[in-house]
Amino acid sequence: MTLLDIVPSLGRAAPRRFDSTIWPVTAHSDEEGQLCVGGVPLADIADEFDTPAYVIDEADFRHRARRYRKALHGVGVVYAGKSLLTTAVARWAREEGLGVDVCSAGELAIALAGGVDPARIVMHGNAKSPDELREAVRVGVGRVVVDSCIEIAYLAGLARRRQPVLIRVTPDIDIHGHRAVTTGISDQKFGFTLAGDHAANAVKRALAHPILDLVGLHCHLGSQVSDAAPYGEAIRRMIAAMADVRARHGVILTELNIGGGHAIPYLPGDRELDLGELARVIEDALDEACAAEHFPRPTVVVEPGRAICGRAGLTLYRVCSVKTRPGGRTFVAVDGGMSDNPRVSLYGAQYTVTLANRHPCGAKQRVTVAGRHCEAGDEIARDIELPADLRPGDLLAVACTGAYHHSMASNYNMVGRPPLVAVKDGRARALVRRETIADLLSRDCG
């Protein structure tokens, strides 16, 4: 008899801790060191659904949706479907009392198939086609956010009953983020600038069409905003613009949508937007701006997407090879890459990665997790610490991939897009199946 026979726990490594600011709230490791989410070992998901695979924790999604409604009491919450949208996700948002923001006819169709009340849908986009606008008014979406003068004309011609609209305004507030996701400044493609009376002219055009019901203004500052203060400044500028509409046209706008873009952490120590602070900033800015302009308080709406779905998701990969360059890096090649996660190459995004199928043994080493595609820049994570005993067949989990991964996936190198697998209460089910070679060939007309 050995000491391990007498005290079996000596042979087990301690359970690993997973930071809930980065990993799903249900994440934990079992006795074998397997990462489990929603009560399901990720190794079981890899066995059933293969890899790569997106995994979404329904409990985490619902938890963060509820946090928004609780923290922002009296503020309308509309889920930004562009971040992640399937019929099941739309249903979760609906059941948690959220509206849904869509940007295309496809997103609109999915939201409707998920049972979302059309009156609780907001239609966005800077280049909406006449067909998309026609479908929006046909089903009766609650708000259309107009982004150009031609959209106002199209919408007025297509509407058959009063259509509530918002004018998208750029308040010229710089969040100093990546240029691809900074949308509150004047020199970018979205909306109407306050400078030069562009927004004022758009308001005038909308009011000239009796079938359009101009109910308010909309702005969006950008993505990954971790400081609530810019939202306060946006509110002050937008209330001033709404007061100007009252002065010019005698119309009192009743709704102010300040968009989303709320930051989440991808790495330990990253900042996230504090919802309590956001609530205080909104309240204080409304009090100040409305008092200064003697303007009645409008209804405020926010549009979080990433902040609700981002941490609920992770991506599961299988290690294909490990090789070290003399005097250079060690590369861990996996069976996915930029076709399922384009954010690294697009934005220089950084991710937290962990071994998912077993306990690590011994030391760690610095590695680059590389993708499978024909690009030197196809990387999942550069210069991160992973176990030195990593070997082909191991599973890696990448945190915070619930937002803008499934929705931005491509078929580069004719690779099929991964499945989206939901986990809850010890069960896993496919929300979106894996794309097959037959799927790819079905669209090829020869």
Side-chain angles (χ1 to χ4, degrees), residues 316-388:
L316 191 59
Y317 298 103
R318 196 171 296 279
V319 174
C320 296
S321 66
V322 181
K323 56 186 177 184
T324 301
R325 297 304 189 195
R329 286 180 285 164
T330 294
F331 291 91
V332 176
V334 297
D335 55 358
M338 64 195 305
S339 63
D340 58 74
N341 180 358
R343 295 189 68 256
V344 178
S345 55
L346 284 175
Y347 311 129
Q350 296 179 292
Y351 289 90
T352 298
V353 185
T354 193
L355 180 64
N357 60 304
R358 61 179 174 86
H359 282 298
C361 299
K364 292 187 175 183
Q365 65 177 339
R366 188 169 292 275
V367 304
T368 291
V369 181
R372 61 166 293 169
H373 295 287
C374 299
E375 302 281 343
D378 179 21
E379 297 176 351
I380 301 297
R382 175 185 282 255
D383 295 334
I384 62 168
E385 296 287 330
L386 283 177

Side-chain angles (χ1 to χ4, degrees), residues 45-268:
I45 292 177
D47 289 343
E48 181 176 357
F49 297 98
D50 207 356
T51 56
Y54 299 123
V55 181
I56 187 84
D57 181 1
E58 180 180 342
D60 189 281
F61 183 100
R62 291 180 181 274
H63 164 71
R64 300 190 193 278
R66 290 167 189 165
R67 284 184 67 238
Y68 263 89
R69 295 196 65 201
K70 182 177 179 180
L72 301 182
H73 182 70
V75 173
V77 182
V78 174
Y79 172 67
K82 66 180 73 67
S83 56
L84 176 70
L85 193 62
T86 70
T87 55
V89 170
R91 186 177 68 253
W92 300 345
R94 170 179 59 82
E95 290 172 350
E96 295 303 330
L98 311 185
V100 176
D101 146 33
V102 302
C103 295
S104 69
E107 288 184 354
L108 175 60
I110 289 174
L112 293 172
V116 180
D117 182 350
R120 303 211 63 199
I121 294 177
V122 179
M123 170 68 89
H124 275 284
N126 71 299
K128 297 182 281 294
S129 71
D131 285 344
E132 287 173 319
L133 291 171
R134 181 180 293 108
E135 182 64 8
V137 299
R138 184 190 71 81
V139 302
V141 300
R143 300 287 184 271
V144 175
V145 181
V146 294
D147 197 272
S148 66
C149 290
I150 191 63
E151 280 189 8
I152 295 172
Y154 283 153
L155 197 56
L158 293 167
R160 293 295 175 263
R161 56 183 177 272
R162 288 274 283 176
Q163 174 61 55
V165 300
L166 303 172
I167 300 289
R168 180 157 178 175
V169 173
T170 53
D172 202 25
I173 294 174
D174 192 349
I175 61 169
H176 303 289
H178 192 286
R179 66 175 185 83
V181 292
T182 299
T183 55
I185 59 175
S186 295
D187 188 21
Q188 46 77 43
K189 69 178 185 176
F190 294 105
F192 300 90
T193 63
L194 288 174
D197 267 354
H198 290 156
N201 288 335
V203 167
K204 182 178 179 181
R205 287 172 180 259
L207 291 174
H209 297 285
I211 203 163
L212 301 184
D213 181 13
L214 180 60
V215 296
L217 301 182
H218 179 285
C219 69
H220 181 67
L221 304 184
S223 294
Q224 280 296 83
V225 183
S226 59
D227 181 5
Y231 292 106
E233 181 58 28
I235 288 170
R236 286 185 283 271
R237 297 187 188 188
M238 298 293 279
I239 292 294
M242 294 167 83
D244 184 63
V245 172
R246 179 184 59 183
R248 295 189 187 205
H249 306 286
V251 173
I252 296 177
L253 303 180
T254 59
E255 186 171 313
L256 174 56
N257 188 319
I258 59 173
H262 305 163
I264 66 170
Y266 284 85
L267 302 174

